[in-house]
Amino acid sequence: MSAHAPIRRFTVPQIAARKGDTPIVALTAYTAPMAAMVDQHAEVILVGDSVGMVIHGLPSTIGVTLDMMILHGQAVMRGSERAIVVVDMPFGSYEESPQQAFRNAGRIMAETGCGAVKLEGGLRMADTIRFLTERGIPVMGHIGLTPQATNTMGGFKTQGRDQATWPAHIADARAVEQAGAFSLVVEGVIEGLADQITQSVAIPTIGIGASNRCDGQILVLDDMLGLSGRVPRFVRKFGDLGTQASDAIAEYAAAVRDRSFPSEAQVYR
Ligand SMILES: Nc1nc(=O)c2c([nH]1)NC[C@@H]1CN(c3ccc(C(=O)N[C@@H](CCC(=O)O)C(=O)O)cc3)CN21
Ligand SMILES: CC(C)C(=O)C(=O)O
Ligand SMILES: [Mg+2]
């Protein structure tokens, strides 16, 4: 091997093979510099449609467009070199038909160079997932709490509190697996159900708000860095960058007002 061998990204089969192995480390990223940091430590970078809420100030993910996902997908691909980059298909870009999904997933893949797409839904999206995977587009599934269904679900509600709903969630997981998805995000479900789902499929599950009974974990990067204000209870803040940024901005404002900035080191003579 040459000293300058290109660094290959993690591949879809490598991620698919991580069932029951050391947990898959996944995080979201929306920009090139954040992607570069995540790339050092995670195997999977998700360009989540949460970008609409976290970066663009939208009230939900419903208003996110394909163009937004492609723009952020391109930035994340430029910033990373090792992780597999997965791009969320936004609301309205895939639900109508397998053909619509292929057309738009094809645009995402071709215009960003990402490794896979993710779409929300279980049984009801199985035909679409099969249509994409049979035509060369790797798909990550997403079941449980599916944020794009916030208006029909009545908000962001933890799923599986009623054990009578478990069979439907497990059927969703199996349908996604049978349709050819290489991994499955399980969001916002109680521990017992997460455990059952993970045991019901041969593809790795990646949990968010779904306990550690999954084959990997994902969080919204800005949430775990302490950059997004109020966060759901399933988030652990591994950093407090919001406070640090706010303090830095306050110091800058004070330094401008008392003329201590710019000082000697920042002045051209
Ligand atoms: N910044 C951010 N982080 C996320 O994790 C995230 C987004 N945005 N946007 C898209 C979805 C929406 N998500 C959310 C948002 C809120 C809750 C929430 O407030 N959950 C309640 C649980 C209530 C219940 O148990 O039913 C909580 O108190 O944690 C959960 C998931 C997860 N995703
Ligand atoms: C939280 C993850 C799974 C997601 O779909 C997103 O960030 O949009
Ligand atoms: Mg999403």
Side-chain angles (χ1 to χ4, degrees):
M1 191 135 35
S2 113
H4 300 285
I7 296 154
R8 286 263 291 139
R9 288 181 188 271
F10 284 96
T11 64
V12 159
Q14 283 173 332
I15 300 302
R18 291 283 291 276
K19 185 81 188 172
D21 203 335
T22 51
I24 296 165
V25 179
L27 277 171
T28 69
Y30 315 120
T31 65
M34 288 299 207
M37 286 189 269
V38 174
D39 195 56
Q40 313 268 317
H41 304 284
E43 293 92 45
V44 177
I45 303 177
L46 174 71
V47 185
D49 60 347
S50 54
V51 69
M53 297 173 71
V54 175
I55 300 296
H56 297 272
L58 290 169
S60 75
T61 57
I62 301 298
V64 175
T65 66
L66 195 65
D67 287 341
M68 286 165 71
M69 295 313 301
I70 289 172
L71 204 63
H72 288 285
Q74 289 169 334
V76 166
M77 283 297 294
R78 289 184 203 115
S80 61
E81 56 183 16
R82 171 179 168 274
I84 182 168
V85 173
V86 180
V87 176
D88 258 352
M89 297 199 71
F91 178 76
S93 74
Y94 64 95
E95 300 92 328
E96 189 178 321
S97 64
Q99 288 76 11
Q100 182 209 23
F102 186 86
R103 187 161 62 247
N104 290 325
R107 259 197 74 192
I108 292 173
M109 299 289 292
E111 294 180 31
T112 69
C114 71
V117 299
K118 178 164 77 60
L119 56 85
E120 297 181 9
L123 255 177
R124 70 189 158 84
M125 292 312 303
D127 289 345
T128 293
I129 294 171
R130 187 172 299 104
F131 195 87
L132 298 187
T133 55
E134 282 179 347
R135 289 163 179 75
I137 299 182
V139 176
M140 178 180 281
H142 183 162
I143 64 162
L145 192 173
T146 48
Q148 291 175 15
T150 179
N151 290 311
T152 47
M153 287 176 134
F156 302 127
K157 299 260 175 67
T158 304
Q159 303 291 302
R161 289 225 156 88
D162 177 358
Q163 206 157 322
T165 66
W166 288 20
H169 289 291
I170 291 162
D172 279 341
R174 289 201 169 120
V176 168
E177 175 201 27
Q178 289 308 305
F182 72 98
S183 61
L184 176 59
V185 165
V186 179
E187 175 166 356
V189 306
I190 68 166
E191 184 179 40
L193 177 55
D195 186 54
Q196 290 288 302
I197 290 170
T198 296
Q199 287 189 48
S200 299
V201 293
I203 54 174
T205 56
I206 301 177
I208 171 164
S211 82
N212 68 356
R213 322 286 275 222
C214 293
D215 302 298
Q217 295 293 326
I218 185 161
L219 282 175
V220 168
L221 178 64
D222 302 65
D223 292 351
M224 58 86 82
L225 292 178
L227 275 172
S228 27
R230 212 173 75 241
V231 292
R233 190 170 80 81
F234 62 75
V235 175
R236 183 190 293 174
K237 288 196 184 180
F238 289 86
D240 196 8
L241 270 57
T243 303
Q244 286 184 252
S246 180
D247 290 351
I249 294 162
E251 275 187 50
Y252 164 76
V256 168
R257 291 189 181 113
D258 71 14
R259 299 187 185 279
S260 63
F261 174 82
S263 61
E264 206 49 43
Q266 293 93 36
V267 175
Y268 300 95
R269 293 190 200 281

